[in-house]
Amino acid sequence: MFSAIRSHMVANAARVLKKPVQFLPQRLQSKVLLEALQQVFHEALEDGDFEFLQDRWLKVEISDLNLSWMISFQDDKLIVSDGSQTEDASFSGCLNDLILIAGRKEDPDTLFFQRRLKIEGDTELGLEVKNLMDSIDLDSLPKPLTYALMQLAEFVQKGLQPQESQKQITTA
């Protein structure tokens, strides 16, 4: 019973969240995203690992929520813009797949080859971003954030599994 509810919640999460997030002002979205990026990439920013993004624009899109942001690196800091720039590369995927990537439950390469993650534009820039994402040490994040991310990714992963395989897992 719980697995059916979880599957329903995961399958409909984007549809339920789409309207409310559209009402969030772009400025607030950008501020929250920038804070999260600075937290997650704290070490990479200190080490200068974002120089490849200097004066270039990466578009990040959550396709099923109709959300997108433009990210760049200027004056030794990340910036998030309103989207009036032209992107050099773009990453897009659905909400559930991006959660799975963030929680290390799915490999970005696998999703790319399954056409669930789209990387377009400057290939070299796209690979740099993907490699940077792969290098994130989840243990360097605050424990509550890591725990919440891992629990959410686990929830989504189990919610995406077919009902039969969930029954086999619980009876094994």
Side-chain angles (χ1 to χ4, degrees):
M1 170 86 166
F2 178 70
S3 63
I5 294 169
R6 177 178 40 220
S7 294
H8 181 74
M9 290 173 66
V10 169
N12 292 296
R15 189 173 55 80
V16 170
L17 293 172
K18 189 174 186 175
K19 290 283 186 209
V21 298
Q22 296 299 317
F23 288 112
L24 291 174
Q26 182 70 28
R27 177 173 245 173
L28 178 61
Q29 291 178 29
S30 296
K31 182 176 170 67
V32 169
L33 178 63
L34 182 59
E35 292 290 326
L37 290 172
Q38 289 172 336
Q39 182 82 29
V40 170
F41 292 108
H42 176 73
E43 287 181 25
L45 286 164
E46 284 182 355
D47 295 342
D49 292 345
F50 275 90
E51 289 180 1
F52 70 89
L53 199 53
Q54 182 74 36
D55 297 324
R56 301 176 84 192
W57 290 97
L58 171 69
K59 180 179 180 181
V60 176
E61 178 181 15
I62 304 175
S63 55
D64 51 354
L65 290 181
N66 269 353
L67 292 176
S68 66
W69 304 274
M70 299 292 285
I71 302 167
S72 186
F73 185 74
Q74 296 177 7
D75 300 323
D76 294 326
K77 61 185 176 196
L78 282 175
I79 59 170
V80 177
S81 176
D82 62 4
S84 60
Q85 297 75 15
T86 302
E87 74 261 15
D88 294 291
S90 68
F91 272 75
S92 64
C94 72
L95 175 65
N96 289 331
D97 287 339
L98 295 175
I99 289 170
L100 292 173
I101 290 170
R104 301 285 203 268
K105 298 294 183 186
E106 280 283 359
D107 178 54
D109 291 330
T110 301
L111 295 181
F112 175 76
F113 288 116
Q114 292 175 351
R115 299 184 189 270
R116 292 167 51 191
L117 175 65
K118 293 181 184 168
I119 303 171
E120 299 174 309
D122 184 327
T123 306
E124 185 178 330
L125 179 61
L127 286 174
E128 291 269 5
V129 172
K130 186 198 84 60
N131 290 338
L132 187 63
M133 287 172 35
D134 286 342
S135 73
I136 296 172
D137 179 12
L138 293 180
D139 292 333
S140 69
L141 299 177
K143 296 294 180 218
L145 178 61
T146 303
Y147 180 79
L149 177 60
M150 298 309 288
Q151 291 299 308
L152 179 60
E154 182 79 18
F155 186 85
V156 169
Q157 183 182 42
K158 287 181 178 178
L160 291 173
Q161 292 175 349
Q163 292 295 317
E164 284 305 309
S165 67
Q166 288 184 25
K167 286 178 187 174
Q168 291 171 357
I169 291 170
T170 57
T171 60

